[in-house]
Amino acid sequence: MKKYLIIPILCLITFLSACNQDATLKDWIHADIYRNSDMILQYKDTVDMQPYFEALIASPTTGTVTTTDLSYQLVVKTYDQTLTYQLVFDLTEEKAAALSNAGSYEIPFEWLDAYLVADLPEEQFSYLMPPKMSLSIDDYQIGYGEDIHWSIHPTASSTIPVESTTISHENYKSSDKTLAIAIDFDRMQPDRLSLLIIGIDDVLTYDNITADNIPIPEEDGAYRYELTGHWTSNSDTCGGTVTYSFGLSLSTPASFDLNDQIFEPGDCMAIRIQNPDSLDYRVETYAYNRTIGLFYMEEDLVGLIPLDSKTAPGNYSLYIYKDSTDQLLKTLTYEVTTKEFNTQQLSVTSSTASLKSDDNYAKDAEKFGDAKDYSVGEQLWEGTFIEPVSGRVSTEYGTIRYVNGNTESSRHNAIDVAAATGTPVMAANNGIVTFASDLIISGNVVVLDHGYGLFSSYVHLDEIFVQDGDEVKKGQIVGSVGATGYATGPHLHWSIWKNGVYLNPWKFIEEDLFTNFQE
């Protein structure tokens, strides 16, 4: 009989120990709340510990819960012992109980509010958390940043803020403005979507858009999208805003064209690259085997390709490469037609002929220096060129010239205009003076830089009216006709060249290089 009394007596002792009616709140040192072995709250003040003491020690009431949705551990440290309780909460019935070895006791459900604020178990309330959005651009999944301003109400008396920010996001690059941005939410569709599209110079604002019609900017550029979902209809349980951010860079593909497709020897070809993404281009063609410089002209790149007067007729290809990788981007074709040039027999005195000696060429080259080697990287000329002087054309561009009956010929790569000494000579177009001085063979010379590597020269002048570095305008007087240097009489020797290749000046008078680009 005594053997069977042991268990009830032990239970009674345990119960009396756990619910010691003689204990007072003064005996309590602190009360700690744990979830999943992590302490989330600690109470040391008697005011904070009073509810626990009253409910579990002073006047406990037996109670239990049907379902345990959330569970915490309460550990009370006193001067002579440690009391441990399991606090369980039924969210559906909104009931709570404290379990110990001594029994199960009813506790206020409102205790849960403080625990949720201290440590929200998101897995338990995932249905109240902000929905997840999937974002794709042309079926490519995009990572986005989030700025969450949300609140949930897991109990009737609690409001838990949910705030977080993720800055990093992907930037999608496209050359197709017909792309489609698709979004979808795993649950809880937003009541409203608003959008900011932030460009470098402008911000586009949309207060109310639909998920299946997200705008795309019309202009090229780098944009930051800030798409905000607004949830208000379920505000009694949860709601707020979430801003999803991602980048979109739009660039129209580069296109390449020439100012014409059929050229003559002495013409100047021009290439245009529209919507370039950089200067990382290389242009090559068999008809001109030197470096072809590219320059910005507003948003485009342009380059000049001079064709020598001796360029052989035929069909040619022009190749555009991505310079850093040697990737061939585009091949353009053009034709150089046959051009007949005049032949001229020229007689000069022995003293004049003697000027063209190797020694004089060397002296002139040294004095001329780099006057035609460096050009400004912008277009200085405006429209078509004008004839620098009025008079009789004594020698055309490209004329095949024989001097004093010699069987070897030379090319006259300029236009000679005979006029009286002192006749004013005008700048054929806007430019900067890079040389204004005398040479042994060419006499008094003025050289103008028109930009993009294009130069013009005015030779055999009687007088010079400008200085190196002067900026001159089309039609401005730069000198006067003379017969200085290697000349048989007063005339202007007028030439235009690019990278040492002399071009037909008449073509520059007929039309501007850039007005005939094929659209």
Side-chain angles (χ1 to χ4, degrees):
M1 186 69 176
K2 293 181 180 179
K3 179 180 179 180
Y4 299 102
L5 292 174
I6 293 175
I7 295 177
I9 291 173
L10 288 175
C11 290
L12 180 61
I13 294 172
T14 303
F15 175 80
L16 293 175
S17 174
C19 303
N20 185 358
Q21 299 298 321
D22 295 330
T24 65
L25 185 58
K26 295 180 180 179
D27 297 324
W28 286 31
I29 300 173
H30 57 76
D32 305 328
I33 304 295
Y34 291 83
R35 188 174 79 87
N36 297 334
S37 302
D38 295 324
M39 187 174 69
I40 63 171
L41 285 172
Q42 184 178 75
Y43 301 110
K44 292 184 177 181
D45 190 283
T46 55
V47 174
D48 295 327
M49 292 188 288
Q50 178 74 34
Y52 296 97
F53 181 81
E54 291 293 333
L56 299 175
I57 303 300
S59 56
T61 301
T62 301
T64 186
V65 297
T66 304
T67 303
T68 299
D69 294 314
L70 288 174
S71 177
Y72 297 86
Q73 187 180 49
L74 168 65
V75 178
V76 179
K77 182 71 174 179
T78 70
Y79 285 109
D80 58 0
Q81 61 181 319
T82 299
L83 305 177
T84 302
Y85 299 87
Q86 182 184 9
L87 308 183
V88 294
F89 295 87
D90 183 337
L91 298 177
T92 303
E93 299 292 334
E94 293 195 351
K95 291 183 178 181
L99 310 180
S100 72
N101 292 333
S104 178
Y105 307 101
E106 182 182 322
I107 60 173
F109 183 79
E110 289 73 18
W111 285 7
L112 179 60
D113 294 346
Y115 309 157
L116 295 179
V117 171
D119 179 41
L120 180 68
E122 294 186 10
E123 70 282 0
Q124 181 68 42
F125 300 103
S126 59
Y127 64 97
L128 296 178
M129 301 300 289
K132 295 297 182 182
M133 183 186 77
S134 64
L135 167 66
S136 63
I137 301 180
D138 283 348
D139 297 326
Y140 176 80
Q141 292 295 317
I142 300 295
Y144 52 81
E146 285 183 309
D147 187 15
I148 300 174
H149 299 278
W150 194 263
S151 62
I152 69 172
H153 310 289
T155 69
S157 58
S158 64
T159 298
I160 312 298
V162 179
E163 306 275 340
S164 70
T165 300
T166 304
I167 299 176
S168 62
H169 63 267
E170 281 191 67
N171 184 61
Y172 187 83
K173 296 182 179 180
S174 177
S175 58
D176 183 7
K177 293 187 177 66
T178 62
L179 56 84
I181 300 177
I183 62 171
D184 190 25
F185 297 89
D186 62 352
R187 55 189 173 78
M188 280 197 302
Q189 298 300 313
D191 299 296
R192 181 170 65 90
L193 283 171
S194 61
L195 175 64
L196 295 180
I197 303 179
I198 304 170
I200 296 176
D201 300 317
D202 197 10
V203 177
L204 303 176
T205 303
Y206 303 88
D207 291 329
N208 198 348
I209 62 172
T210 58
D212 59 354
N213 189 25
I214 297 178
I216 307 295
E218 297 180 356
E219 302 294 330
D220 287 356
Y223 299 93
R224 174 184 171 88
Y225 272 62
E226 293 187 355
L227 178 66
T228 301
H230 305 258
W231 285 264
T232 57
S233 60
N234 296 320
S235 58
D236 55 335
T237 57
C238 63
T241 63
V242 181
T243 298
Y244 308 92
S245 59
F246 60 95
L248 178 62
S249 295
L250 298 174
S251 60
T252 304
S255 62
F256 314 90
D257 61 343
L258 296 172
N259 59 334
D260 209 338
Q261 289 184 303
I262 300 176
F263 300 91
E264 293 180 339
D267 282 355
C268 187
M269 297 169 53
I271 182 174
R272 175 178 61 176
I273 303 177
Q274 294 179 292
N275 305 305
D277 57 7
S278 66
L279 273 170
D280 189 22
Y281 297 95
R282 185 176 76 253
V283 180
E284 296 179 355
T285 184
Y286 179 76
Y288 179 75
N289 59 3
R290 303 184 193 180
T291 300
I292 299 172
L294 296 174
F295 305 90
Y296 275 106
M297 184 174 71
E298 296 181 351
E299 300 296 325
D300 301 335
L301 287 176
V302 294
L304 304 182
I305 306 163
L307 298 176
D308 188 87
S309 61
K310 297 180 181 180
T311 302
N315 294 314
Y316 292 85
S317 294
L318 182 139
Y319 306 99
I320 302 102
Y321 298 89
K322 186 174 180 62
D323 192 34
S324 60
T325 62
D326 283 334
Q327 176 190 0
L328 178 62
L329 302 174
K330 185 73 174 181
T331 300
L332 301 175
T333 58
Y334 62 95
E335 179 185 358
V336 178
T337 60
T338 301
K339 181 175 176 59
E340 298 295 332
F341 292 102
N342 297 333
T343 300
Q344 182 187 61
Q345 300 288 341
L346 182 68
S347 297
V348 298
T349 64
S350 57
S351 60
T352 300
S354 66
L355 291 176
K356 287 191 172 183
S357 66
D358 292 343
D359 184 52
N360 285 345
Y361 274 118
K363 289 178 180 178
D364 279 356
E366 181 179 1
K367 184 173 184 180
F368 196 71
D370 58 2
K372 61 180 180 180
D373 292 336
Y374 300 99
S375 175
V376 297
E378 60 179 301
Q379 179 183 341
L380 300 180
W381 79 87
E382 293 181 5
T384 57
F385 284 55
I386 62 172
E387 296 184 50
V389 67
S390 297
R392 177 180 59 87
V393 176
S394 58
T395 307
E396 283 284 5
Y397 167 83
T399 296
I400 302 171
R401 174 179 280 178
Y402 297 89
V403 180
N404 291 343
N406 287 338
T407 57
E408 293 186 6
S409 64
S410 62
R411 288 282 181 147
H412 184 263
N413 289 317
I415 295 174
D416 283 352
V417 181
T421 299
T423 303
V425 174
M426 299 178 292
N429 216 313
N430 304 342
I432 298 174
V433 178
T434 61
F435 186 83
S437 187
D438 63 302
L439 297 173
I440 298 171
I441 299 173
S442 301
N444 292 331
V445 176
V446 169
V447 175
L448 300 182
D449 172 19
H450 300 289
Y452 294 161
L454 192 67
F455 292 85
S456 65
S457 59
Y458 310 80
V459 179
H460 306 309
L461 299 175
D462 183 58
E463 290 184 276
I464 295 173
F465 301 139
V466 291
Q467 303 179 56
D468 288 2
D470 284 354
E471 296 183 9
V472 300
K473 294 294 184 181
K474 182 193 302 187
Q476 181 177 332
I477 305 301
V478 296
S480 62
V481 172
T484 55
Y486 186 89
T488 58
H491 73 285
L492 173 67
H493 178 95
W494 175 46
S495 61
I496 296 177
W497 76 84
K498 160 77 174 170
N499 286 11
V501 177
Y502 287 88
L503 300 166
N504 187 347
W506 293 121
K507 294 300 184 72
F508 291 83
I509 292 174
E510 292 172 4
E511 64 181 8
D512 180 62
L513 287 174
F514 299 142
T515 59
N516 197 34
F517 275 115
Q518 299 177 15
E519 296 298 336

